[in-house]
């Protein structure tokens, strides 16, 4: 088999070790780097340019969806596989919109992960069977999805940078900590915060947290 260089990103060390063991059991496959949050994953991907990146959605600092968007922005040829415990039609659509081409449930990883990596590195898509059925059902369902459309409309109000800031604020970071994480001045971070709160009509951090959970920016 051809050599395959992989990047694995998950905030749980035991999960990363399990994925490494599973992937490196394939001849010629090597987990070249690991990351414990989305921001580190973006930087590692930029440095090593892996053949395939395996990304968890629910990670601190920068979630998998935003990390995937940044990886694709940095390198349009990046090949990304999402690994998650969550299954929903809106989330699957967001994964595809972010540029990832594979979606594997963690419960199916032992069976599907190797096949998924092979598919993604060959420029094909891969969905776990349960997720594929959700995609098919969503395609065949012609009824309007008012709730999902409203959610999508709300998300579209925010820029990628604003979504990053929402995640950091929802995780309890102060404006100063946001500024340090993103390389901004404190004044700029505070301006972003005020604009976000006004745009989302949020009047407290708890309301912002609820928004972040509803829109899959952080995990409850």
């Amino acid at each position: 088999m051809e050599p395959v260089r992989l990047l694995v990103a998950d905030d749980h060390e035991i999960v990363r070790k399990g994925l490494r063991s599973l992937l490196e059991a394939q001849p010629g496959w090597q987990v070249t780097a690991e990351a414990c949050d989305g921001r580190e994953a973006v930087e590692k991907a930029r440095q090593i340019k892996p053949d395939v990146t395996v990304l968890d959605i629910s990670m601190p600092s920068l979630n998998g969806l935003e990390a995937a968007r940044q990886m694709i922005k940095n390198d349009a040829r990046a090949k990304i596989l999402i690994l998650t415990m969550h299954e929903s039609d809106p989330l699957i659509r967001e994964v595809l919109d972010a540029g990832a081409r594979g979606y594997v449930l963690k419960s199916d990883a032992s069976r599907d992960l190797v096949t998924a990596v092979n598919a993604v590195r060959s420029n094909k898509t891969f969905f776990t069977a349960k997720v594929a059925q959700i995609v098919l059902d969503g395609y065949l369902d012609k009824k309007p999805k008012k709730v999902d459309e409203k959610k999508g409309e709300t998300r579209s109000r925010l820029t990628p940078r604003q979504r990053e800031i929402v995640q950091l604020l929802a995780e309890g970071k102060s404006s100063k900590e946001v500024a340090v994480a993103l390389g901004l001045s404190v004044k700029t971070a505070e301006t972003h915060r005020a604009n976000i709160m006004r745009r989302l009509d949020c009047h407290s951090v708890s309301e912002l947290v609820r928004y972040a959970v509803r829109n899959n920016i952080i995990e409850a």
Side-chain angles (χ1 to χ4, degrees):
M1 297 179 70
E2 295 181 18
V4 180
R5 299 165 63 254
L6 300 154
L7 166 61
V8 171
D10 192 289
D11 57 327
H12 296 99
E13 183 179 3
I14 191 169
V15 174
R16 295 198 306 273
K17 287 183 177 179
L19 294 174
R20 176 185 283 272
S21 177
L22 181 62
L23 293 167
E24 291 189 339
Q26 302 303 306
W29 288 25
Q30 180 184 7
V31 175
T32 310
E34 297 181 13
C36 62
D37 62 53
R39 208 167 298 283
E40 183 183 16
V42 172
E43 181 60 23
K44 292 282 182 68
R46 188 187 64 79
Q47 292 174 353
I48 70 173
K49 298 189 183 304
D51 296 308
V52 177
T53 296
V54 179
L55 271 180
D56 181 27
I57 282 185
S58 303
M59 290 188 291
S61 181
L62 188 71
N63 63 63
L65 286 171
E66 300 305 329
R69 290 187 178 99
Q70 291 193 19
M71 289 177 186
I72 296 295
K73 183 179 179 180
N74 292 340
D75 181 3
R77 298 169 297 177
K79 297 174 181 178
I80 300 168
L81 170 65
I82 294 293
L83 183 65
T84 179
M85 65 180 69
H86 304 292
E87 50 181 277
S88 72
D89 183 48
L91 184 56
I92 295 164
R93 292 174 188 272
E94 288 190 65
V95 165
L96 294 174
D97 288 343
R101 287 296 172 261
Y103 194 112
V104 175
L105 296 176
K106 286 186 176 180
S107 58
D108 298 332
S110 60
R111 181 189 66 211
D112 290 341
L113 186 59
V114 170
T115 303
V117 169
N118 274 322
V120 171
R121 64 188 284 255
S122 301
N123 295 312
K124 299 175 183 177
T125 57
F126 183 92
F127 300 105
T128 298
K130 196 179 295 185
V131 172
Q133 188 61 52
I134 292 172
V135 172
L136 180 60
D137 290 345
Y139 177 77
L140 294 176
D141 184 5
K142 303 302 181 183
K143 293 180 291 185
K145 297 181 176 63
K146 293 182 180 179
V147 174
D148 292 341
E149 287 172 1
K150 185 177 180 181
K151 180 186 289 186
E153 182 182 348
T154 303
R155 282 186 60 84
S156 68
R157 295 178 190 168
L158 299 182
T159 66
R161 174 47 59 92
Q162 287 172 331
R163 288 196 296 267
E164 283 188 70
I165 293 171
V166 166
Q167 177 168 355
L168 292 171
L169 292 173
E171 289 175 349
K173 301 291 193 300
S174 66
S175 294
K176 182 176 181 180
E177 290 171 320
V178 169
V180 171
L182 300 181
L184 306 173
S185 69
V186 174
K187 184 177 180 179
T188 299
E190 289 175 343
T191 299
H192 275 303
R193 176 177 180 150
N195 289 340
I196 289 166
M197 299 293 277
R198 183 172 59 253
R199 181 169 293 188
L200 297 179
D201 194 26
C202 289
H203 305 286
S204 67
V205 173
S206 61
E207 288 184 8
L208 190 68
V209 170
R210 285 195 292 272
Y211 168 83
V213 170
R214 286 197 308 270
N215 288 275
N216 303 305
I217 295 175
I218 64 170
E219 192 171 25

